[in-house]
């Protein structure tokens, strides 16, 4: 079984993706360029959103264990391109510094209480890596130079998404279902949906040979394609699907409250 990314790896990759994000924004002719994968936003809006998020999570991590996020007010993002990129770099560094000081095991508030991810700074680092990775792709699309996520980021991204963003104790409002994700790099995941909620697990590799019970529907693609599907950046038709695709329609529309 492949090991998950270590805390130091998460911080290193977060810094690398931040650099790639700034490079994509710097290549744009204007901050008013629209972002096709975030249709209501310009590049300025994207930078402001991600920078505000870096600072907000830095405050959450610094606050330690809590039942609610601390009060937060982000400094105004400058409109001049070079100043904006410097503001974003400082935002990212603020989060990295807070995470390094806290270490991976310190508790803190998170929005994913009922998921399979712990409420720790290590889990925050893991999720925030995916946030900057996906938004880097958004910025690259906006300037016409999309690049796939680095393989280690994409593989961890599928695992992080199913355990943090999908796993829940909220009741699945449809017939019980089983969904598989297969990355062409050799990793697979299974999701079970029922009245008890949703739970996720890694499958043995190769899944097709070692798992006897079949899923209702499965999606196969590169890890990058699976991450982009999970975050709504590509349509399901861009993946290789097998089984009842209506389950994916139900999953996309599902908004659990618990």
């Amino acid at each position: 079984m492949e090991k998950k990314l270590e805390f130091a790896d998460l911080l290193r990759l977060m810094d690398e993706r931040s650099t790639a994000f700034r490079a994509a924004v710097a290549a744009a002719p204007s901050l008013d360029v629209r972002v096709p994968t975030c249709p209501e936003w310009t590049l300025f809006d994207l930078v402001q959103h991600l920078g505000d998020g870096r600072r907000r999570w830095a405050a959450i991590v610094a606050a330690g264990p809590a039942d609610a996020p601390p009060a937060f007010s982000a400094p105004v993002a400058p409109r001049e391109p070079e100043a904006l990129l410097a503001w974003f770099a400082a935002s990212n560094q603020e989060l990295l510094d807070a995470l390094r000081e806290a270490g991976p095991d310190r508790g803190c508030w998170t929005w994913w209480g009922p998921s399979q991810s712990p409420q720790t700074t290590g889990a925050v680092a893991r999720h925030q890596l995916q946030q900057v990775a996906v938004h880097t792709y958004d910025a690259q699309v906006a300037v016409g130079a999309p690049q796939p996520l680095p393989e280690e980021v994409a593989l961890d991204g599928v695992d992080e998404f199913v355990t943090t963003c999908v796993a829940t104790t909220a009741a699945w409002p449809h017939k019980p279902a089983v969904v598989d994700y297969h990355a062409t790099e050799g990793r697979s995941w299974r999701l079970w949906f029922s009245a008890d909620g949703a739970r996720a697990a890694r499958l043995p590799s190769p899944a097709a040979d070692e798992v006897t019970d079949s899923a209702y529907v499965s999606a196969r693609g590169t890890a990058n394609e699976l991450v982009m599907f999970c975050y709504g950046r590509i349509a399901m038709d861009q993946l290789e699907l097998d089984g009842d695709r209506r389950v994916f329609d139900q999953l996309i529309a599902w908004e659990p409250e618990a």
Side-chain angles (χ1 to χ4, degrees), residues 180-184 208 218-222 225-226 238-241:
D180 284 355
Y181 291 97
H182 302 299
T184 56
S218 66
R220 184 180 300 274
T222 65
E225 289 170 335
L226 293 175
Q238 294 179 251
L239 301 172
E240 180 184 338
L241 302 180

Side-chain angles (χ1 to χ4, degrees), residues 34 74 83 91 98 102 111 119 134 151 155 172 177 189 208 215 218 235 242:
R34 307 301 298 186
S91 301
W111 55 259
Q119 292 183 287
V134 173
E151 183 176 301
L155 285 168
W172 173 245
W189 298 262
S218 66
D242 184 31

